[in-house]
Amino acid sequence: MIARLLEGVPRRGLVLLGLLLAALVVFPFFASGYLLTVGFLVLYFAYVGQSWNIMMGFAGQLSLGHSLYVGLGAYAAAALYVHFGVSPWIGLSASIAFSGLAGAVIGFLAFRFGVAGVYFAILTIAFAEFARIGFDHFAWVQGSSGFFLPVANYATNDLWNLRGSPTMFYYLMLAMSAAAFVLCHALVRSRMGYYWQAIRESPEAAEALGINVFRYKMAAVVISAAMTSLAGVVFAFYYNNLFPEQIFHISRSIELILGPIIGGIGTLVGPLVGALLLTGLAEGMREIMLQLKVDVPGVKQVFYGLCLLLVVMFLPHGVWPPLARRLGLERGGADGAARADEGKP
Amino acid sequence: MALGLSVIFGVVRVVNFAHGEMMTVAMYLALMLFTALKLDPLVSLVPIAAVLFVFGYLLQAGLISPFINRPEHSQFMLLVAVALILVNLQLIAFGPDAKGIRTSYSFDSFKLGPLVVDAAKVYAAGAALVVAAALFAFFRFTLTGKAIRACADNYHGALVVGLNVRRLYALTFGLGAACVGAAGAMLMAVIDVTPAIGPAYTLLAFVIVITGGLGSMPGALLGGLLIGLTEALGGVLFTPSAKSMFAFALLVLVLLFRPQGILGRKAA
Amino acid sequence: MDRRQFNKAAAAAGLATTLSPAIVRAQARRLKVGVLLPRSGVQAGIGQDCHRALEVGSRILADLGLPGLDIMNGDTESNVDVGRARAERLISEGAQLLVGAFDSGQTTAIAQVAEQRGVPLVINIAAAPPITEQGYKFVFRNFPTAPMILGDAFANQLEVFKATGVSPKTAVFMHVNDTFGVAMQKGFSGVMQKFPAIPYKVVDTIAYDPAARDLSVEVTKARASGAEALVMVSRLNDAILITRELVKQRWAPSAILSMGPGWYEDQYLKTLGKLGDGPISFVPWYDPNKKLAKALEAAHVKAHPEINLNTNHIYTFEALLVAADAFKRAGSADPKALADAIRATNITDNVSTGPGIQFDAKGQNDKLRNSAIQNRGGKLVVVAPASASNAKPELPVRAYDKR
Amino acid sequence: MAVLLEVRGLSKSFRGLRAVQQVAFEVPEGSITGLIGPNGAGKTTVFNLVAGVMRPDAGEVRLGGTRIDGWRPDQVCAAGVGRTFQIVKPFAGLTVRENVTVGALRKSNDVSSAQRRADEILEKLRLGPKRGMLASSLTLPDRKRLEVARALATRPRLLLLDEVMAGLRPTETDQIVAFFRELNRAEGVTILLIEHVMRAVMALAQQVVVLHHGEVIARGEPAAVVRDPAVLECYLGEETEV
C-alpha cells in the first residue's frame, strides 16, 4: 500500500516532503504562541484548500460557497457537544453527514439540471447565503446571537473532547493536513482521480469513454464537502464561538479558496504553498507596517490585494508549478498543471 | 447597477466581482460632488458615469484583457484582488463612517391612495429607466453597439471579420462601469455610504441579473423588479430579517429551471 | 476621598502587604497595553471610534497621576482569525495587558488567548453574556451584558414616563437580527415581566436584516400595527433608514425608545438634523455630573470637536483606567498580580453611570447602570436616571412635518 | 454475418430543422462501414444519436439486438461503443499517456494495468515517444490519433470514427488506414466511420451509407455507390476528394 503510494514520486520530492513534515512537527518547540497561532492558520487553510481543491482542482467544479460546509460541520459538532455532551469525534460523523448531504443536494440539483460554470459557482454562493440567513434564525443554536461553547481550562489536553492548548490544535491540524495530503495523493492517482481530471478537461469526451460524469462529479462534491466539514469541527472547538454572520459569510469562502488558487489549482502542494504564502504575506505586511510606523487601517489590505493581483497576472497556474520546475520536481505524480515536456520528438 | 453587470457579463463573459466596490467609488464621487459643489446626485450621475466609464475602460484594457481566455477562477481572483484594493483605499481616503447627503427631496413622499411612495426612489427609478433606455438604444441602433453585440455572440467570428475585440471589450466594460456609476449616484440619494457596503451589492446584483437573465438588459430590469417584490412579500408574510432568503430561494429556482435566466437567451 | 488620595491609600496598602522592593522599580516603569480593535473591515467605523479614546484617555490618566501606558495597537480587521493571531502577536511583543475588542466573537477568541497565556484582558465593549460565564480568571468586563442593559432600560423608561406624563399603551418592537439584537430580543419579554408598571403592551415584534438596504417594508408593517410607541434595538445605518422611513411615511410614534446604538450617534444627528430630535436611547453612558466625566468630555471635545463623547469612547477609556489603576496598585506588571489587582478594583471616581467600577467573581462589573439620553437640538442630554441626569425628558415626539 | 449495429427510422430535429430523417442502416459485425455525405448531411448527428449524446425524436438504435437509444453516453460506451470527436476533445491538461489511461480504466482492474494497456495502444498508433507530452501540445494529426487511441482503450466492439483522417498527409492517411484494417482483421473490431477522404473510404469500407439532407440516399459497396447518379448529384459542386 505504502509502496504504491510512493510509486512514481521523485526521490527529491520525497526528501523535501519529509523535511517539510519534520520542520512542521518540531515547529511548536521553537515557536512562540503567536507563531503557533499563525502556524495553525496556515495548516487550517492548507487543509480546507486541499478539500476545496478536490472539487475545483481535480473535478473542475468551481465552488464559491465552501463556507457552507465549514459552517455546517462546525454547527453540527458544536451543537451535539453543547446540547448532548457528545464528543466531537462522534459529532464529526454528524458533521460529515450533514455537509455531505448538503453537498449531495447541491450537486444533485446542479448536475441534474445542467447548471455549470459560473452559474454553478453562483448557485453555491446562493446556498451558503441561504444557510447564513437560515442559521441567523435557527434558535436551537442561538441564531444570530452566536453559539458559544463552554471553555474549559487549558491545563490538560483532552483530545477526546477537543479541549486543550493551541499546541494540541496545531498537531491535530497538522495530522489532518497530512492525512488530506496523502488522501488527495492517493485519490488523484486512483481511477476516480483519473476520471475527475477527465471530467475537468472535457465532460463530453469523458462521457464518451464510459465515465458516469454525474456520479463522479457527485462524488467529488460530497468528498470535498465532507472533508471541509472536518475543518469546521476544529474551527468550532478552537474558537469556541460560532456566528452565522461570520462562518457562512462569502468572504470566508473566498478566503479559503485563495490559497489553492495562489498555490496552484489541481496540484497537491499548491494549497499548502498558497496557505503558507498568503498567511505569511498577511502577517509580514503587518510587521512591515509596524516597522514603518504606519498605523493606517487598510493600508495592509491594499498591499495584500496588490500582491494577489501580481500573482494572478504573472503566474496564471499559481506559484507551485514554476517553483516545482525550479526544484526539479516536475513529475510529482499525476497531479496536474506542471508537466515536463519530456519525450518531445 | 444590475444593468452594468449584465452588460459586462453578457458581452465580455467576465463575472465582475468588484461590482459593488466600483459602485461605492461612484457613491463617494457623488458625495464629494455634493459637498463641494452642491451638485444633486441625479445631476452628478452624468459626470460620475463618465468617470467610471474611463475607470472601467482602463481596468479592462489594462488589467482584465489578458484574462479573457483564462479560466473563470483566474478572473475571479483578479477581481477579488481589485475589490480588496478598492475597499481599503476608500477606507483610507474616506474613513469608515457612514456618509450621506440630504437633498431637498430626501424626505418627500407621494401619497397614492393607501400607498406612500418615496420621492427619492421615484426620481432614482426614473433616472434608472432613462439610463436603461439610452443603453438599449445604444446597443440597438449604433454601429459600435451592434459590433459589441456581435462580439458577444461570437468571439472568434468577431475576430475574423476584423473587429477590434479588445477595444470593444474595454468599451463594454467601460459602459458597464458607467451604469454602475450612474447607479451609485442614484443610490446616494437614497442611502448612506460606507466602504464596506460593496460586497452586499455585488451579491444583490448577481441575484438580480441571474434571475433576469445574464446578458439580457430587459432581464436585468425584470430581475430587479422580481427580486424587490419577492423580498417585500417575504418580509410582509414572514419575518423581515429573513427576506433575502426568499431572494436566494428564487435565484436557486431560476438557476435550476431556467439557468439562462427568465429572459436570457439559451447558451449556444 | 478623592482619586489621588484613594490611589495613595491603595498603593500604600499594596506596599504594606507585599513589602517588595520591586514595587518601587515597577512604579517607574510603564505598562504595555495591547489594544485590539476592529479598525478595518466591516466594523471599521466603531473600531476607529473606540480608537479615538486612546489618545485623549492617556493624557487624562497622566493627569490623575496614574502610571503611563504604552499603547500597542492591533487591528482585528473585523475577523476572528486575525483577532486571535493579533492577540498572540501583541503578547509575544510584550503586551502585559490586553484591551478590546468591541465585537463579541472576536472578544471571545481573544479572551481564550488571554486566559491561556495568563495575560489579563479588560473588555471595553462586548455584550454577549457567555463571555464572563466561562470561569475565566484573566478576563474582566466593564460593560453591561444584554440583560443588564434591558433591565435598566425598563427602569429608566418608567422614570421617563413618570416625568413626562406620557404613557403609551401599545408598542411595536423592532430589532436588528444580529448578535446584539437577538440577545436583546430574547431577554426582552422576560425582563419586561419584572417591570409590571411598564404601561405598554408589545403588539408586534419585527426582526430585520442587519445588512438591509431598505426598510420601508418593515416600517410599513410596524406602522400598520397601530402601536403608539416604537421600541428599537438597532445599529447606525438602520436607525437612519428607519427614521427616514418614519418621515416619509409621516408616522411619528409618541415615543421612540431605543435600547442600543444608532439613534444617538453623531452620524445619525448629522445626517438627520432636526429630524433626528426626539428619540430616547437607553444605553451604557456616562454620568455628566461626575468629575472625571467632565474632564474626559472637555479633553475629548478639544481633540475631536465634531464628535460627541459616546459609549465607545467612555468604555474604551475606562478599560484603560482599570488597567492603569490596577498596575499602580499591583506595583508590578506581573500578570498574576495585575489580575488580582484588577479583581480588587474599586474605582468610584469614574465616568460611566453607576456607583463605580468593581468586578464580581466572574470578572463582570455588575454595578454598572445605564442612562437614558435624548436627542435635542442636535445635542444629547441625559434624562434618566435622575441622579445622573442633566435635563428633563420631553415626550411625545413631535410630528416630523411640524419641525 | 450478424448485425452489430442496427439503426431504424431514426429522426432528429433542431428547432424545426430536420437534421436526420428516417435514417436506417445496418452495420454487420466485424465489418467496416463508411458513412459519407456532403457537409451538413447529418452524419455527425447520427453519430451523436448512436453514442447517446442526443436522444432521437423517433426511431431506434440497437446494438447486438439491445435497444440503446436514449441511453446516456457512458452507458453506450459501457455497452461497447467507442467514439472519436470530429472536433477533437483531448484532455488538454493531461499527458498523452494519461489521456489513454482514462479510457483504458473502463476495462481494467487497476490503474497500473490500465497504464500498461495505454502504452500498448500508444505504441501501435506511433504515439509512444510522445506519451509524456501534454495533450495540448500535440499537433492536430497527433490529436486525431490520440482520439482514436483513447476510444480504442475502452475495448469497444464498435468504433465510431468521426473524420479522423481529415487534415492528414497522404502517407499518414495510408498508415492509419493500414492500422484500422489490421485492427479490424486481428481484433475483430467493427468500425463505422464518417470520412470525407474518399480514398480512405474506398480503401477501407466494405459498405457505404450515403446521407444527404438527413436522409439515406444510397447504400451498398463503395464502388457501386460512387457511380450512383443520386450520389453524384448531391456531391456536385461539393468539394470531392475522390
Side-chain angles (χ1 to χ4, degrees):
Chain A
M1 183 65 202
I2 290 172
R4 262 187 56 201
L5 275 180
L6 297 180
E7 192 186 341
V9 180
R11 237 234 169 78
R12 267 171 92 174
L14 271 186
V15 172
L16 281 174
L17 263 182
L19 283 177
L20 180 67
L21 187 65
L24 287 172
V25 168
V26 298
F27 178 73
F29 294 100
F30 303 100
S32 64
Y34 162 65
L35 283 178
L36 198 65
T37 308
V38 174
F40 172 84
L41 281 181
V42 169
L43 290 174
Y44 173 81
F45 283 117
Y47 176 82
V48 288
Q50 196 77 264
S51 313
W52 176 79
N53 203 24
I54 292 182
M55 220 168 128
M56 175 64 201
F58 300 161
Q61 305 302 311
L62 176 58
S63 160
L64 295 180
H66 251 53
S67 62
L68 172 65
Y69 310 124
V70 177
L72 283 178
Y75 266 104
L80 285 176
Y81 180 71
V82 170
H83 289 302
F84 307 113
V86 176
S87 157
W89 292 98
I90 297 168
L92 64 81
S93 54
S95 298
I96 290 178
F98 277 118
S99 293
L101 190 70
V105 168
I106 295 173
F108 180 83
L109 291 174
F111 302 146
R112 262 288 172 259
F113 289 88
V115 180
V118 181
Y119 298 100
F120 177 74
I122 289 167
L123 187 73
T124 58
I125 298 182
F127 271 99
E129 284 290 301
F130 202 80
R132 176 177 69 82
I133 303 167
F135 268 83
D136 263 347
H137 296 85
F138 190 9
W140 194 53
V141 290
Q142 312 297 318
S144 56
S145 62
F147 193 47
F148 288 82
L149 280 74
V151 180
N153 66 341
Y154 293 95
T156 53
N157 285 337
D158 180 358
L159 198 56
W160 178 245
N161 283 322
L162 280 190
R163 317 272 70 194
S165 67
T167 317
M168 185 189 86
F169 279 101
Y170 173 85
Y171 280 118
L172 179 69
M173 214 58 236
L174 178 59
M176 283 168 65
S177 305
F181 187 87
V182 174
L183 178 71
C184 287
H185 178 70
L187 274 176
V188 80
R189 311 163 117 247
S190 70
R191 177 187 303 264
M192 185 131 74
Y194 273 93
Y195 283 178
W196 280 339
Q197 296 181 66
I199 293 168
R200 176 188 72 195
E201 298 292 334
S202 166
E204 298 96 337
E207 270 194 315
L209 295 179
I211 299 171
N212 186 337
V213 171
F214 176 76
R215 185 196 299 165
Y216 282 96
K217 275 190 191 172
M218 286 293 283
V221 178
V222 171
I223 292 177
S224 178
M227 273 177 73
T228 310
S229 74
L230 292 187
V233 178
V234 178
F235 185 93
F237 285 80
Y238 184 65
Y239 287 109
N240 291 310
N241 66 81
L242 297 170
F243 293 88
E245 284 309 312
Q246 287 183 351
I247 200 153
F248 288 113
H249 202 266
I250 179 171
S251 65
R252 289 211 76 96
S253 293
I254 292 174
E255 228 170 56
L256 74 84
I257 69 175
L258 289 181
I261 295 183
I262 291 292
I265 276 194
T267 65
L268 287 174
V269 190
L272 182 63
V273 172
L276 200 64
L277 273 179
L278 287 177
T279 315
L281 184 67
E283 295 299 318
M285 285 291 181
R286 288 186 197 112
E287 250 7 78
I288 293 168
M289 293 302 146
L290 210 63
Q291 294 306 318
L292 295 176
K293 305 252 178 273
V294 181
D295 187 25
V296 181
V299 175
K300 182 224 123 193
Q301 287 94 325
V302 171
F303 280 102
Y304 186 78
L306 281 176
C307 289
L308 284 186
L309 204 66
L310 293 177
V311 172
V312 274
M313 291 210 69
F314 297 110
L315 298 172
H317 297 291
V319 175
W320 177 243
L323 191 68
R325 218 166 296 145
R326 198 59 59 78
L327 292 172
L329 297 173
E330 313 68 320
R331 299 254 349 143
D335 58 0
R339 230 165 277 264
D341 294 338
E342 64 169 51
K344 229 177 192 164
Chain B
M1 159 84 181
L3 217 53
L5 193 73
S6 188
V7 168
I8 292 174
F9 183 84
V11 179
V12 191
R13 303 228 173 275
V14 168
V15 176
N16 187 3
F17 268 91
H19 215 69
E21 283 74 11
M22 279 162 64
M23 194 195 68
T24 48
V25 170
M27 291 180 76
Y28 276 112
L29 284 174
L31 178 76
M32 287 189 325
L33 285 176
F34 183 80
T35 33
L37 305 169
K38 287 277 158 223
L39 220 49
D40 188 284
L42 293 182
V43 177
S44 67
L45 74 83
V46 178
I48 289 170
V51 171
L52 264 281
F53 175 81
V54 174
F55 178 76
Y57 190 96
L58 294 179
L59 192 68
Q60 167 70 26
L63 269 179
I64 303 171
S65 84
F67 281 77
I68 288 298
N69 290 318
R70 293 225 204 139
E72 283 143 13
H73 63 84
S74 202
Q75 302 170 351
F76 156 78
M77 276 291 297
L78 180 81
L79 287 158
V80 166
V82 170
L84 194 67
I85 294 170
L86 283 181
V87 171
N88 286 288
L89 280 179
Q90 288 168 20
L91 178 67
I92 296 168
F94 300 104
D97 298 324
K99 296 211 164 74
I101 52 181
R102 276 181 74 188
T103 52
S104 53
Y105 50 84
S106 271
F107 294 100
D108 283 357
S109 57
F110 304 120
K111 255 193 156 148
L112 287 173
L115 287 172
V116 181
V117 184
D118 191 334
K121 278 181 198 160
V122 170
Y123 298 148
L129 278 176
V130 171
V131 171
L135 204 62
F136 191 72
F138 171 79
F139 277 111
R140 189 66 33 173
F141 301 117
T142 69
L143 208 59
T144 324
K146 284 178 185 163
I148 290 176
R149 282 196 296 149
C151 283
D153 283 343
N154 189 336
Y155 172 73
H156 292 286
L159 272 179
V160 170
V161 298
L163 292 174
N164 184 345
V165 175
R166 283 190 59 158
R167 201 183 65 87
L168 286 175
Y169 273 12
L171 209 61
T172 314
F173 209 93
L175 271 179
C179 293
V180 179
M186 289 178 235
L187 212 56
M188 205 57 218
V190 186
I191 65 163
D192 295 338
V193 58
T194 74
I197 61 169
Y201 279 92
T202 306
L203 216 56
L204 181 72
F206 270 131
V207 174
I208 289 176
V209 169
I210 289 181
T211 310
L214 272 175
S216 152
M217 275 171 281
L221 292 177
L222 179 75
L225 211 60
L226 215 58
I227 290 291
L229 270 177
T230 314
E231 290 211 347
L233 278 179
V236 171
L237 296 177
F238 302 94
T239 150
S241 61
K243 68 181 180 186
S244 345
M245 240 165 104
F246 296 95
F248 281 110
L250 182 70
L251 170 69
V252 169
L253 287 178
V254 168
L255 271 179
L256 293 181
F257 294 106
R258 206 174 154 77
Q260 72 274 28
I262 292 172
L263 291 184
R265 279 171 306 163
K266 198 126 194 150
Chain C
M1 184 157 82
D2 73 17
R3 168 103 238 147
R4 213 162 286 234
Q5 286 167 330
F6 165 71
N7 279 317
K8 264 187 205 155
L15 201 65
T17 47
T18 53
L19 276 175
S20 159
I23 289 166
V24 187
R25 278 206 311 276
Q27 288 287 35
R29 280 212 315 264
R30 296 164 67 85
L31 185 69
K32 288 185 167 178
V33 178
V35 181
L36 291 146
L37 292 169
R39 291 170 62 207
S40 57
V42 278
Q43 296 161 339
I46 304 157
Q48 295 201 11
D49 198 29
C50 291
H51 188 77
R52 291 190 181 107
L54 299 180
E55 223 175 299
V56 174
S58 300
R59 257 173 275 138
I60 294 182
L61 293 181
D63 292 345
L64 290 174
L66 288 167
L69 304 176
D70 287 332
I71 304 286
M72 302 157 72
N73 286 310
D75 179 3
T76 66
E77 297 172 23
S78 311
N79 177 323
V80 214
D81 295 336
V82 180
R84 183 165 175 138
R86 288 292 91 196
E88 291 273 16
R89 183 79 188 110
L90 288 174
I91 292 172
S92 72
E93 275 170 359
Q96 291 149 329
L97 185 142
L98 298 178
V99 167
F102 178 73
D103 173 80
S104 289
Q106 289 151 44
T107 305
T108 317
I110 294 165
Q112 288 169 56
V113 174
E115 186 67 14
Q116 199 179 341
R117 302 291 293 273
V119 173
L121 164 68
V122 182
I123 296 168
N124 62 338
I125 300 172
I131 298 176
T132 43
E133 303 291 331
Q134 309 268 22
Y136 287 136
K137 302 204 163 37
F138 289 90
V139 177
F140 303 90
R141 170 158 62 184
N142 179 45
F143 194 77
T145 60
M148 290 167 68
I149 296 176
L150 269 171
D152 280 2
F154 287 119
N156 286 329
Q157 277 176 31
L158 287 178
E159 266 194 45
V160 168
F161 292 148
K162 207 169 135 198
T164 57
V166 172
S167 59
K169 296 279 169 290
T170 51
V172 55
F173 179 39
M174 288 180 80
H175 71 89
V176 57
N177 192 30
D178 65 4
T179 313
F180 178 67
V182 172
M184 295 291 280
Q185 177 262 322
K186 272 192 211 143
F188 192 83
S189 52
V191 178
M192 195 170 157
Q193 276 164 17
K194 293 183 194 147
F195 293 87
I198 288 287
Y200 57 77
K201 261 210 334 263
V202 175
V203 289
D204 198 2
T205 299
I206 299 169
Y208 58 86
D209 187 1
R213 302 154 294 265
D214 180 284
L215 291 169
S216 48
V217 175
E218 287 81 349
V219 174
T220 309
K221 209 173 167 185
R223 187 181 176 212
S225 72
E228 288 175 46
L230 180 60
V231 180
M232 291 297 318
V233 174
S234 44
R235 300 274 178 201
L236 174 61
N237 275 336
D238 40 332
I240 296 175
L241 283 175
I242 288 173
T243 311
R244 284 192 178 155
E245 284 304 325
L246 290 177
V247 177
K248 287 171 189 166
Q249 304 200 9
R250 302 168 198 185
W251 178 39
S254 69
I256 299 171
L257 310 167
S258 161
M259 307 188 180
W263 298 80
Y264 58 84
E265 288 181 44
D266 292 310
Q267 193 60 41
Y268 181 89
L269 298 170
K270 216 171 353 173
T271 309
L272 294 165
K274 59 182 194 288
L275 297 174
D277 280 352
I280 301 180
S281 302
F282 300 87
V283 285
W285 202 246
Y286 62 99
D287 180 345
N289 306 319
K290 285 190 179 174
K291 207 174 84 192
L292 195 58
K294 282 178 179 146
L296 181 64
E297 197 170 14
H300 178 87
V301 167
K302 213 169 133 198
H304 306 286
E306 77 288 8
I307 294 163
N308 285 318
L309 185 67
N310 69 27
T311 311
N312 296 335
H313 311 128
I314 296 156
Y315 286 90
T316 306
F317 167 74
E318 284 205 335
L320 297 182
L321 175 65
V322 168
D325 168 72
F327 179 50
K328 186 166 182 182
R329 281 182 291 110
S332 95
D334 171 57
K336 195 95 188 60
L338 264 179
D340 289 339
I342 296 174
R343 193 163 294 109
T345 298
N346 183 12
I347 304 173
T348 48
D349 181 10
N350 65 340
V351 182
S352 56
T353 313
I357 307 175
Q358 284 167 30
F359 295 102
D360 65 9
K362 293 171 177 169
Q364 170 71 37
N365 179 3
D366 53 358
K367 303 275 187 299
L368 274 173
R369 312 292 317 161
N370 288 334
S371 304
I373 51 176
Q374 189 167 30
N375 305 351
R376 288 234 287 267
K379 292 269 167 230
L380 300 170
V381 291
V382 184
V383 295
S387 56
S389 67
N390 57 6
K392 290 261 172 290
E394 283 174 10
L395 283 181
V397 175
R398 279 172 65 189
Y400 286 110
D401 47 0
K402 301 213 170 66
R403 298 189 181 198
Chain D
M1 233 187 315
V3 172
L4 179 60
L5 180 73
E6 187 186 2
V7 173
R8 219 185 282 160
L10 205 60
S11 299
K12 178 78 184 174
S13 312
F14 300 111
R15 297 188 181 180
L17 177 78
R18 278 181 229 140
V20 172
Q21 271 189 80
Q22 293 291 324
V23 166
F25 62 89
E26 289 169 2
V27 177
E29 176 107 51
S31 74
I32 298 182
T33 302
L35 185 60
I36 63 169
N39 284 328
K43 302 181 299 278
T44 297
T45 307
V46 169
F47 259 34
N48 283 337
L49 291 171
V50 171
V53 175
M54 295 165 187
R55 193 179 276 272
D57 298 335
E60 48 189 68
V61 179
R62 286 176 189 273
L63 185 76
T66 315
R67 268 190 81 159
I68 58 164
D69 51 272
W71 286 19
R72 286 196 316 268
D74 56 293
Q75 292 168 322
V76 174
C77 175
V81 178
R83 73 163 303 185
T84 70
F85 290 92
Q86 181 187 5
I87 300 159
V88 291
K89 297 181 194 289
F91 303 131
L94 303 187
T95 62
V96 169
R97 189 193 200 203
E98 284 164 349
N99 264 271
V100 182
T101 306
V102 170
L105 278 167
R106 161 95 245 127
K107 286 276 169 66
S108 308
N109 295 326
D110 55 56
V111 175
S112 49
S113 66
Q115 277 169 344
R116 278 196 300 279
R117 165 113 179 110
D119 287 345
E120 282 166 27
I121 295 172
L122 287 170
E123 279 311 319
K124 281 193 217 160
L125 277 161
R126 304 178 187 225
L127 280 169
K130 296 180 182 172
R131 63 179 165 202
M133 286 171 67
L134 282 181
S136 56
S137 57
L138 290 181
T139 59
L140 185 65
D142 279 345
R143 290 188 195 194
K144 295 246 170 187
R145 273 191 281 187
L146 179 60
E147 286 276 316
V148 176
R150 217 169 46 181
L152 266 186
T154 63
R155 294 184 193 269
R157 295 157 71 193
L158 172 67
L159 188 58
L160 305 178
L161 300 172
D162 198 347
E163 293 199 31
V164 289
M165 289 168 228
L168 296 193
R169 282 193 295 267
T171 46
E172 290 170 330
T173 309
D174 291 344
Q175 276 173 10
I176 205 153
V177 163
F179 171 78
F180 287 132
R181 192 176 287 141
E182 175 64 16
L183 183 75
N184 177 252
R185 191 189 59 77
E187 300 185 27
V189 177
T190 310
I191 296 174
L192 175 63
L193 76 161
I194 295 177
E195 203 50 75
H196 271 301
V197 184
M198 289 307 283
R199 198 158 66 103
V201 181
M202 301 299 278
L204 268 175
Q206 291 128 15
Q207 69 149 342
V208 174
V209 178
V210 186
L211 276 184
H212 186 49
H213 289 318
E215 290 175 80
V216 176
I217 57 165
R219 261 196 306 195
E221 284 184 20
V225 163
V226 288
R227 282 194 301 272
D228 190 315
V231 177
L232 284 174
E233 196 197 327
C234 87
Y235 268 96
L236 226 82
E238 280 281 334
E239 182 193 349
T240 36
E241 295 179 56
V242 181

